[in-house]
Amino acid sequence: MELIKVGYITNTHGIKGDIKIYPLTDYPERFDEKIDFYIEDEKTKVKIKKTRLHRGLVYVKLEGYNNINEVLKFKDKYIYINEEDRLELPEDIYYISDLVGMEIIDGDKLIGVVKEVMSNQANDIYICEDKNKKEFMIPAVKEFIKNVDIKNGKIYTELIEGIIE
């Protein structure tokens, strides 16, 4: 079973066992879904009883946890879902976790691997690494990214001079 990271538990909230989660998803409402969640390390399986969004954080009441002492162990841990519980994305939208590790092919030449995806207001930027561990960045725009083949782990590009030096 593959688990997908969807949040980071920043702290407890109050004395009745609530926790604060920094969402690592563009859809924080997913914490309202009636699915299984897992908290890292021991992969503790939890159910969410109640949620509310406030100032970019998700405040969560877990089923069966009724005081602060029971949830203190979850502080500074990640919360996960099963891979099959991921949302279906529209065409040409990808999960960052699927992009990291993909090979970058320019023309017919392997030029590197995606190490990280940086998001900014205009567009995402793929931070890549060549075989010599030298980093380069590719803006994730249709002018450069021609095809993303998730199944085969390859991103086909048409780059301009200067992106890879």
Side-chain angles (χ1 to χ4, degrees):
M1 159 174 70
E2 180 79 23
L3 296 177
I4 306 298
K5 197 180 294 181
V6 293
Y8 176 74
I9 302 168
T10 62
N11 212 339
T12 59
H13 179 72
I15 61 169
K16 295 184 178 180
D18 293 358
I19 56 175
K20 286 193 275 188
I21 299 174
Y22 178 77
L24 301 174
T25 171
D26 290 336
Y27 182 64
E29 296 82 4
R30 77 162 19 278
F31 292 96
D32 289 327
E33 296 173 2
K34 300 300 177 200
I35 59 174
D36 292 329
F37 289 86
Y38 300 86
I39 298 176
E40 77 172 303
D41 290 343
E42 58 279 341
K43 299 292 184 234
T44 304
K45 185 177 178 179
V46 295
K47 292 272 189 196
I48 294 178
K49 186 175 183 178
K50 182 174 74 170
T51 66
R52 73 179 171 92
L53 293 170
H54 182 66
R55 294 186 178 181
L57 295 175
V58 182
Y59 291 76
V60 170
K61 174 69 175 162
L62 299 173
E63 285 183 13
Y65 294 87
N66 297 310
N67 77 53
I68 189 172
N69 296 322
E70 295 174 334
V71 296
L72 272 171
K73 64 183 176 186
F74 298 144
K75 184 179 174 191
D76 295 324
K77 307 278 187 197
Y78 288 97
I79 189 164
Y80 299 81
I81 60 169
N82 284 316
E83 185 175 28
E84 63 262 13
D85 290 328
R86 290 197 306 183
L87 299 172
E88 286 294 319
L89 296 177
E91 188 175 329
D92 295 331
I93 304 292
Y94 307 98
Y95 285 105
I96 290 173
S97 60
D98 288 343
L99 295 172
V100 172
M102 292 186 76
E103 295 178 340
I104 303 292
I105 310 292
D106 191 50
D108 59 356
K109 182 180 172 193
L110 172 65
I111 59 169
V113 174
V114 177
K115 298 307 276 181
E116 185 180 339
V117 177
M118 181 171 61
S119 297
N120 73 34
Q121 288 180 321
N123 53 269
D124 288 345
I125 297 170
Y126 299 163
I127 299 172
C128 306
E129 189 176 86
D130 67 14
K131 66 181 176 188
N132 299 319
K133 305 288 185 204
K134 183 177 179 204
E135 283 191 353
F136 60 95
M137 294 187 271
I138 302 173
V141 295
K142 64 182 176 188
E143 290 80 13
F144 300 131
I145 307 298
K146 296 304 178 183
N147 184 28
V148 177
D149 184 354
I150 294 288
K151 189 170 124 184
N152 293 308
K154 299 183 185 317
I155 297 174
Y156 296 93
T157 63
E158 196 173 295
L159 302 177
I160 58 173
E161 193 174 317
I163 287 187
I164 305 170
E165 295 183 22

